[in-house]
Amino acid sequence: MTTWIGTSWKMNKTLAEARAFVDGLVAARDALGGVRAFVIPPHTAIAAVRERLPSDVPVLVGAQNAHWEPAGAYTGEVSMGMVADAGATLVEIGHSERREYFGETDDTVARKVAAAAAAGLTPLLCVGEPAEVRAAGGEIDWIAGQVSRGLSRLAAHDLRKVVVAYEPVWAIGDLGREASPHEIAPVMEMLSTRFGPGGDARHKISAVLYGGSVNRFNAAALLDVPGTDGLFVGRAAWDVAGFVELVRIGARAGHGRQPDAG
Ligand code: PGA
């Protein structure tokens, strides 16, 4: 199966910086075919990134958030249709920063997942347990619950459009610490067998990614964890050289995987 390697820029990059990143991607275009690569700019740069990416450079463009309603009096929000119109084909939903700072709940996440799929977008559903849940050994139940609730409004035939990213809250960002493969393995296995391509359920999501303090030193070992279909990266991929290096690591890891089904 092709390995997913993606980055969200969070609240970073001007238009000029976004275009420079794309130029770096184009320069490394030969590497990109070996993975399923995606880049998630801030809303202001989605269209600029999409327009500057030549159509034969295989990089998906995403949005970091969008509202579930198609239109209306929601000052400051953008709809799924609007981000699709700007060139996004996937939408990140429920990142822990959105849950913590912007009041995202399992209910808003579920509405957004369903709205994204209905708009023809790939919902990238982010889940992760806080440190205290991990300390108490409750991560499997926490993550299974977040995913179940996040998918609860989705039509069964839309499940296969979904990608889930497991990102433990304690592993994300400058204050996070790297997770070991051993720490994430039980969660990745649960996600893959219960919801993802590793399971035998009739309806499955399409991929399970890992994110949180991923870098070029730990990426290969994290990709080796069974059930891990790819990596979702912040800081280590904001520089295009860092992103391309992770793409190369992902391509090497992909060679050892089973071929894509269907
Ligand atoms: P990080 O961010 O790689 O900078 O820890 C990961 C994320 O928030 O997705």
Side-chain angles (χ1 to χ4, degrees):
M1 128 153 0
T2 313
T3 303
W4 293 71
I5 299 289
T7 182
S8 163
W9 294 344
K10 307 194 181 185
M11 196 171 74
N12 293 291
K13 295 197 193 292
T14 61
L15 288 174
E17 289 164 345
R19 292 192 183 107
F21 190 102
V22 173
D23 292 347
L25 290 178
V26 173
R29 64 198 303 158
D30 293 347
L32 294 163
V35 300
R36 206 166 292 187
F38 65 90
V39 170
I40 309 186
H43 286 145
T44 47
I46 293 171
V49 167
R50 183 61 271 167
E51 281 160 17
R52 200 168 183 96
L53 261 176
S55 57
D56 61 343
V57 175
V59 177
L60 303 173
V61 180
Q64 296 176 22
N65 177 42
H67 199 273
W68 60 86
E69 290 291 344
Y74 299 101
T75 300
E77 293 289 321
V78 297
S79 69
M80 297 293 168
M82 288 170 178
V83 299
D85 185 46
T89 57
L90 64 90
V91 185
E92 185 179 355
I93 297 168
H95 187 278
S96 67
E97 288 151 14
R98 298 231 30 108
R99 293 179 194 254
E100 184 177 351
Y101 306 139
F102 303 103
E104 291 272 5
T105 63
D106 284 335
D107 181 60
T108 62
V109 166
R111 289 171 189 273
K112 291 177 179 188
V113 168
L121 297 160
T122 297
L124 174 57
L125 168 59
C126 300
V127 295
E129 82 284 359
E132 53 281 12
V133 170
R134 168 67 64 154
E139 63 272 15
I140 295 280
D141 287 348
W142 182 278
I143 298 303
Q146 275 190 331
V147 174
S148 298
R149 293 188 295 275
L151 299 177
S152 61
R153 288 177 176 267
L154 202 61
H157 63 263
D158 277 341
L159 266 177
R160 66 188 160 74
K161 296 180 181 165
V162 175
V163 175
V164 166
Y166 170 49
E167 303 198 294
V169 178
W170 48 268
I172 291 176
D174 288 330
L175 300 177
R177 71 163 176 87
E178 286 180 37
S180 68
H182 171 77
E183 284 176 304
I184 72 164
V187 178
M188 298 308 286
E189 197 207 340
M190 180 278 291
L191 286 171
S192 178
T193 53
R194 186 149 159 199
F195 300 100
D200 56 5
R202 201 157 66 85
H203 301 292
K204 301 167 173 182
I205 64 167
S206 69
V208 182
L209 315 187
Y210 176 75
S213 294
V214 172
N215 58 49
R216 64 197 167 104
F217 303 108
N218 62 21
L222 292 166
L223 282 170
D224 263 355
V225 173
T228 306
D229 303 308
L231 299 172
F232 187 27
V233 190
R235 292 157 296 158
W238 291 344
D239 170 84
V240 69
F243 183 72
V244 170
E245 182 154 14
L246 289 162
V247 162
R248 293 189 197 283
I249 293 168
R252 285 198 291 273
H255 286 147
R257 291 169 195 272
Q258 294 168 342
D260 287 318

